[in-house]
Amino acid sequence: MKKLMTLMLGLSLALGSVAVTFAQDPPKKEKKAKKKTAKKKKGEDPKKG
């Protein structure tokens, strides 16, 4: 009986920690995307001449 309780306690601890890990918000990468400059397309510039 003691082994069963130890097993159940260990499993609940492991599954609980996994659930808490996945419930956290992932780090946002939007700030890095805003810092990038927009590239000009080849046909966007007016032609000279």
Side-chain angles (χ1 to χ4, degrees), residues 18-31:
V18 169
V20 169
T21 303
F22 283 117
Q24 293 176 352
D25 292 330
K28 295 182 179 179
K29 296 181 180 178
E30 294 177 6
K31 293 181 180 178

Side-chain angles (χ1 to χ4, degrees), residues 9-24:
L9 180 63
L11 285 175
S12 63
L13 179 65
L15 292 177
S17 63
V18 169
V20 169
T21 303
F22 283 117
Q24 293 176 352

Side-chain angles (χ1 to χ4, degrees), residues 24-45:
Q24 293 176 352
D25 292 330
K28 295 182 179 179
K29 296 181 180 178
E30 294 177 6
K31 293 181 180 178
K32 291 181 181 179
K34 290 181 180 179
K35 290 182 181 178
K36 293 181 181 177
T37 57
K39 295 181 180 178
K40 294 182 179 179
K41 294 181 181 177
K42 291 181 180 179
E44 191 175 346
D45 295 330

Side-chain angles (χ1 to χ4, degrees), residues 45-49:
D45 295 330
K47 295 181 180 178
K48 295 181 181 177

